[in-house]
Amino acid sequence: MVRRIIEIDQEKCNGCGACAAACHEGAIGMADGKAVLLRDDYCDGLGDCLPTCPTGAITFVEREAAAYDEAAVLAKKAEALKGTAPRQAPPSGGCPGSMAQALRPAAAPAASAPQDGAVSHLAQWPVQIKLVPVEAPWFNGARLLIAADCTAYARADFHQRFMRGRITLIGCPKLDEGDYAEKLTEILRRNDIRELTIVRMDVPCCGGMQRAAETALRQSGKFIPWQVVTLGRDGNILE
């Protein structure tokens, strides 16, 4: 039968294993440091694995494939629970730290508690632009923060002032290879982003971060309210 099923681009796959962990049916495994579709009849075609892939290596295709076999999936799960199934080796060459996940923001401290900036407002993982998936559930309706790495070190209340209530992406155009514009364009184009805040330092290399974000805004074809905040090296807001 012809049906919708996932396809994994081996050239794009970085072997992180996030998709294998996200697949509830066990249709994806790791082989030679790359993610592979183990069996067509294990894949239900719903695509829980897609938003977890940091490189966009997984897509849907329509092709001849065995029908989804729920009974076979349940039997495999039952076997695994009994401990008779072979243990899958950990991903080879991948980084467990790049696995995408939503984080529950810490509750705001009580009014009587000292405001010492110890409350984290990080809402998702990963945060590096190079690692974050292009599509993820936490992008839907998000207020997006794109920040240069150094900004959080320059300003003590960075979590409270900039990250609170936002999805945070960070990077350094001077240290990272390539341009962020293409990936940021896809993030803006494929997701319902409500607004965008760019926070940069008052140094020339941070201009690359701002230019990439502005280019992404233009190329996305969407009208998204946005602002740029520039910090001095003493943490003061310059504009």
Side-chain angles (χ1 to χ4, degrees):
M1 64 179 296
V2 176
R3 69 179 182 94
R4 187 170 77 159
I5 195 167
I6 66 161
E7 182 173 77
I8 304 172
D9 187 330
Q10 297 296 294
E11 294 297 320
K12 292 184 178 179
C13 177
N14 67 0
C16 71
C19 57
C23 181
H24 302 298
E25 289 71 34
I28 301 176
M30 304 301 297
D32 298 325
K34 298 283 186 176
V36 294
L37 179 60
L38 299 175
R39 284 178 48 165
D40 287 0
D41 58 346
Y42 282 177
C43 178
D44 59 7
L46 295 179
D48 288 342
C49 53
L50 266 70
T52 68
C53 179
T55 64
I58 306 176
T59 56
F60 282 125
V61 295
E62 295 278 343
R63 66 170 174 82
E64 188 73 30
Y68 171 60
D69 189 342
E70 184 178 11
V73 171
L74 293 176
K76 179 186 178 184
K77 289 182 178 180
E79 186 181 4
L81 287 174
K82 290 188 296 184
T84 57
R87 185 179 298 272
Q88 182 173 306
S92 173
C95 174
S98 66
M99 185 177 296
Q101 59 179 303
L103 304 177
R104 179 178 297 176
S112 59
Q115 302 297 307
D116 60 1
V119 177
S120 173
H121 290 285
L122 182 62
Q124 97 290 338
W125 188 266
V127 295
Q128 288 285 347
I129 296 173
K130 291 289 187 180
L131 298 179
V132 74
V134 171
E135 293 179 282
W138 24 263
F139 276 136
N140 293 324
R143 300 167 63 215
L144 188 62
L145 170 66
I146 299 176
D149 288 353
C150 300
T151 54
Y153 293 94
R155 190 171 180 91
D157 66 347
F158 193 84
H159 274 246
Q160 178 72 19
R161 187 177 186 99
F162 296 110
M163 291 173 59
R164 186 177 186 180
R166 292 185 172 95
I167 295 298
T168 302
L169 304 183
I170 65 172
C172 177
K174 186 172 184 178
L175 299 180
D176 286 342
E177 294 182 4
D179 185 5
Y180 298 132
E182 182 177 353
K183 186 167 188 178
L184 292 176
T185 298
E186 290 305 304
I187 289 173
L188 297 180
R189 181 179 290 157
R190 298 190 197 183
N191 300 282
D192 178 25
I193 304 297
R194 290 193 294 135
E195 65 176 62
L196 171 62
T197 297
I198 305 159
V199 182
R200 54 165 292 183
M201 297 297 297
D202 183 30
V203 292
C205 54
C206 268
M209 177 73 75
Q210 182 175 341
R211 284 191 297 275
E214 292 175 348
T215 298
L217 281 164
R218 289 194 301 271
Q219 293 181 346
S220 71
K222 294 182 177 181
F223 175 77
I224 300 173
W226 64 288
Q227 64 173 327
V228 177
V229 179
T230 302
L231 302 182
R233 276 159 275 190
D234 58 359
N236 287 326
I237 295 176
L238 302 182
E239 59 180 74

